[in-house]
């Protein structure tokens, strides 16, 4: 079979397979993500108000203990092996808030603990979270440059 | 002997003298739990790593297979086995324990039938009296290598499959009372350019169809010869695709005739998306559940088509498509039905 014929056979199959594939329920997933993600954020807001009213925190600083508590809960749920089950249901609802970031680090740390503290946990903890930090920093850098140039041109 | 392009006919009826089938806690809650010889109630299996736990699955399955026919490792000439972990190290460690001359196989999830076909061929030609063959997979060890960390909260699509924690080993010997191998067809690498590692069934279906078609062409048979055609781990997504591909080629398999180990292993409510996968899936289901059903006279002639996706995390990251393979072995229970 020539390469062209092979490609056509491949494409025919890929289209056929795609047609038979069970579809990802995007709409239902979005609704679930919205509800669960919203619930996580509402809970976070509740925590923030709690720290604001009952402890010595102000509007700016009350976010810190709130994040710490959410991270702690996410890490504990990861360790107990239930976070991934919640995520299968909630999708982006548990991935987008700070809990998703905590889960990505805790799950990688748990996964590689049999390879030792340095080469296992240390080397792999940021396996999933690493790209977020890298591209977050790169994006911040680019935006900062654009802002600086803009200020020079327009604001000068 | 060679028949047609890629098939072997076995005339001396090399047979499966004994099997050992073990699984993990999730399989214990599954659909065919009764067909396992031993089920571990903990994923760690008292080992220090999941890779070692997979080694333990292999050792345990081998030991059970040998003990059922009162054999010692020194009674077995060769072991043909493999798994999915890098450089099939867990198989090598298990074979270090066994101390039997060893050939490591890699056919991903098709390893079970690759090993069985080779064992039957060597026994047929008097290369050995007994050969131990089989494969294993461990959910946490395999997912760690191929996918995200097991506790990472990613939402799996409905085409994804669940790596089985299981091992199945068989002692293959000369003609005996057990079910015997009558023919085998070795598959070639088939790649239809599928790239999604969360849809292995869709990627492997063409390889399965290719091997089944070659089997019927080489042996000049049609599907009615077999009670069942049993695929390895095509799952809910891949199995209908294979049936469709075969029917397009004029090989009219029936829906009742086609079973898949990946859909047999777990119950509906176990939330494994499209079904089970892993090199332990077909070996455990065939050497346990299927052979038991043959012994109970529920089946007499089956064609087992174990399917393997020969990808690695590296090839996936480099945007390569998924090369797939399937090997088929015909197993027949003598004295039952007609053949």
């Amino acid at each position: 079979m020539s390469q062209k014929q092979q490609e056509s056979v491949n494409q025919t199959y890929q289209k056929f397979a795609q047609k038979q594939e069970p579809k990802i329920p995007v709409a239902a997933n979005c609704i679930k993500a919205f509800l669960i993600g919203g619930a996580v954020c509402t809970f976070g807001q509740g925590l923030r108000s709690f720290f604001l009213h009952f402890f010595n925190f102000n509007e700016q600083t009350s976010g810190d203990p709130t994040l710490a508590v959410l991270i702690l809960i996410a890490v504990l749920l990861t360790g107990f092996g239930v976070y991934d089950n919640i995520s299968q249901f909630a999708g982006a609802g548990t991935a987008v808030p700070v809990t998703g970031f905590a889960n990505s680090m805790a799950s990688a740390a748990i996964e590689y603990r049999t390879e030792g503290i340095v080469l296992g946990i240390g080397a792999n903890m940021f396996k999933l979270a690493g790209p977020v930090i890298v591209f977050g920093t790169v994006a911040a850098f680019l935006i900062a440059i654009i802002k600086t140039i803009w200020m020079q041109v327009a604001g000068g | 002997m060679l028949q047609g392009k890629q098939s072997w006919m076995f005339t001396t009826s090399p047979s499966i003298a004994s099997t050992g089938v073990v699984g993990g806690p999730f399989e214990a809650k599954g659909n065919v739990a009764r067909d396992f010889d031993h089920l571990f109630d903990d994923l760690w299996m008292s080992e220090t790593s999941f890779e070692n736990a997979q080694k333990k699955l292999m050792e345990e399955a081998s030991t059970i297979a040998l003990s059922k026919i009162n054999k010692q490792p020194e009674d077995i000439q060769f072991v043909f086995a493999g798994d999915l972990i890098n450089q099939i190290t867990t198989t090598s460690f298990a074979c270090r324990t066994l101390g039997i001359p060893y050939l490591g196989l890699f056919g991903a999830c098709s390893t079970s039938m690759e090993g069985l076909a080779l064992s039957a061929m060597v026994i047929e030609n008097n290369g050995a009296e007994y050969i131990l063959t089989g494969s294993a997979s461990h959910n946490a060890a395999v997912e760690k290598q191929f996918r995200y960390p097991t506790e990472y909260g990613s939402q799996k699509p409905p085409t994804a499959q669940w790596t089985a924690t299981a091992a199945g080993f068989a002692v293959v010997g000369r003609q005996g009372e057990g079910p015997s191998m009558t023919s085998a067809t070795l598959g070639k690498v088939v790649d239809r350019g599928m790239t999604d590692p969360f849809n292995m069934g869709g990627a492997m279906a063409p390889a399965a169809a290719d091997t089944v078609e070659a089997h019927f062409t080489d042996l000049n048979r049609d599907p009615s010869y077999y009670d069942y055609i049993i695929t390895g781990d095509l799952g809910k997504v891949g199995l209908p695709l294979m049936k469709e591909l075969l029917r397009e080629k004029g090989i009219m398999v029936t829906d009742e005739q086609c079973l898949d180990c990946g859909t047999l292993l777990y119950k509906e409510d176990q939330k494994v998306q499209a079904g089970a996968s892993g090199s332990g899936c077909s070996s455990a289901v065939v050497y346990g559940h299927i052979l038991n059903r043959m012994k109970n006279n529920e089946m007499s002639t089956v064609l087992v088509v174990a399917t393997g996706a020969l990808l690695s995390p590296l090839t996936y990251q480099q945007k390569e498509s998924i090369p797939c393979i399937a090997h088929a072995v015909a197993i027949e229970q003598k004295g039952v039905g007609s053949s």
Side-chain angles (χ1 to χ4, degrees):
Chain A
M1 217 185 295
S2 74
Q3 205 179 342
K4 220 173 184 178
Q5 279 171 311
Q6 185 63 53
E7 267 168 32
S8 130
V9 168
N10 289 2
Q11 278 169 7
T12 313
Y13 176 72
Q14 284 163 20
K15 270 184 208 145
F16 165 66
Q18 207 175 11
K19 221 182 281 171
Q20 307 256 327
E21 208 174 274
K23 297 282 164 284
I24 296 173
V26 178
N29 282 354
C30 286
I31 294 168
K32 285 182 201 164
F34 176 76
L35 292 175
I36 304 286
V40 172
C41 296
T42 311
F43 177 69
Q45 186 56 49
L47 276 176
R48 193 173 177 166
S49 306
F50 172 77
F51 285 116
L52 203 55
H53 287 111
F54 296 97
F55 292 91
N56 189 22
F57 290 105
N58 59 36
E59 280 287 341
Q60 269 85 47
T61 55
S62 61
D64 302 341
T66 306
L67 286 181
V69 170
L70 284 174
I71 289 169
L72 180 72
I73 293 173
V75 171
L76 283 176
L77 288 176
T78 305
F80 289 131
V82 290
Y83 195 94
D84 56 326
N85 300 336
I86 300 171
S87 290
Q88 179 62 34
F89 176 81
T94 45
V96 173
V98 66
T99 52
F101 197 81
N103 163 255
S104 75
M105 288 182 69
S107 62
I110 293 169
E111 190 86 352
Y112 292 96
R113 68 195 183 283
T114 51
E115 282 76 65
I117 290 171
V118 176
L119 294 178
I121 297 173
N124 290 293
M125 202 167 179
F126 284 93
K127 203 178 175 184
L128 297 163
V132 180
I133 294 172
V134 170
F135 294 112
T137 312
V138 170
F141 181 71
L142 289 176
I143 298 292
I145 286 179
I146 292 167
K147 188 192 166 190
T148 309
I149 293 170
W150 178 258
M151 294 300 276
Q152 289 293 325
V153 174
Chain B
M1 61 174 193
L2 183 69
Q3 171 113 7
K5 272 167 77 177
Q6 58 196 83
S7 299
W8 291 331
M9 287 293 286
F10 306 123
T11 48
T12 62
S13 305
S15 60
I16 298 173
S18 145
T19 61
V21 180
V22 298
F26 194 62
E27 290 63 33
K29 294 181 199 148
N31 192 31
V32 294
R34 276 185 303 173
D35 294 306
F36 283 86
D37 294 305
H38 181 72
L39 288 156
F40 289 92
D41 52 17
D42 177 39
L43 263 188
W44 288 93
M45 298 161 199
S46 315
E47 294 289 334
T48 50
S49 69
F50 290 131
E51 288 74 14
N52 278 344
Q54 184 175 294
K55 176 199 72 169
K56 186 154 189 180
L57 283 168
M58 293 191 140
E59 291 171 351
E60 191 77 13
S62 306
T63 310
I64 292 170
L66 293 178
S67 69
K68 278 187 194 168
I69 47 169
N70 296 318
K71 295 283 177 203
Q72 300 299 320
E74 43 279 21
D75 301 323
I76 310 294
Q77 281 78 46
F78 305 110
V79 51
F80 299 165
D83 67 274
L84 288 165
I85 304 294
N86 287 332
Q87 288 82 35
I88 59 168
T89 41
T90 58
T91 312
S92 303
F93 284 128
C95 290
R96 179 181 67 185
T97 312
L98 289 167
I100 304 170
Y102 153 61
L103 288 182
L105 306 179
F106 184 81
C109 312
S110 71
T111 304
S112 59
M113 287 307 115
E114 181 181 359
L116 190 62
L118 286 172
S119 304
M121 191 59 179
V122 172
I123 300 262
E124 165 105 345
N125 291 291
N126 293 318
E129 205 171 337
Y130 289 106
I131 294 175
L132 181 68
T133 183
S135 185
S137 56
H138 186 293
N139 179 275
V142 173
E143 299 265 330
K144 174 180 178 176
Q145 184 181 322
F146 283 91
R147 306 213 170 92
Y148 298 122
T150 45
E151 298 304 330
Y152 176 58
S154 68
Q155 196 170 38
K156 293 195 177 102
T159 48
Q161 288 174 262
W162 177 278
T163 308
T165 303
F169 273 76
V171 177
V172 181
R174 293 185 182 138
Q175 187 168 13
E177 292 201 346
S180 57
M181 278 69 74
T182 52
S183 61
T185 300
L186 304 185
K188 52 180 187 278
V189 175
V190 175
D191 187 339
R192 289 280 169 270
M194 302 285 279
T195 51
D196 182 6
F198 284 107
N199 184 8
M200 295 290 199
M204 296 190 295
D210 187 77
T211 300
V212 173
E213 188 195 352
H215 181 79
F216 287 131
T217 309
D218 285 351
L219 271 60
N220 201 15
R221 280 178 188 165
D222 65 67
S224 65
Y225 182 87
Y226 294 103
D227 297 335
Y228 290 98
I229 294 166
I230 300 156
T231 47
D233 51 359
L234 291 181
K236 279 183 209 161
V237 176
L239 185 62
L241 290 171
M242 184 202 72
K243 288 192 275 194
E244 247 352 273
L245 289 172
L246 285 174
R247 286 168 190 159
E248 268 177 23
K249 298 264 183 183
I251 299 164
M252 305 316 261
V253 291
T254 64
D255 284 337
E256 300 76 39
Q257 189 179 26
C258 296
L259 297 177
D260 180 72
C261 299
T263 55
L264 283 170
L265 186 56
Y266 298 116
K267 286 183 179 152
E268 270 301 312
D269 61 1
Q270 278 185 298
K271 292 192 181 153
V272 290
Q273 284 82 35
S277 68
S279 52
C281 171
S282 63
S283 54
V285 173
V286 170
Y287 294 147
H289 179 70
I290 299 295
L291 288 191
N292 281 347
R293 284 180 68 177
M294 292 184 85
K295 278 171 200 156
N296 293 339
N297 296 339
E298 291 170 43
M299 310 174 169
S300 68
T301 41
V302 300
L303 182 68
V304 181
V305 189
T307 43
L310 307 171
L311 81 168
S312 83
L314 186 77
T315 63
Y316 164 68
Q317 285 164 0
Q318 294 178 345
K319 308 275 188 294
E320 297 289 342
S321 54
I322 303 172
C324 297
I325 198 160
H327 301 298
V329 177
I331 308 175
E332 303 188 24
Q333 176 79 38
K334 281 167 300 237
V336 187
S338 58
S339 61

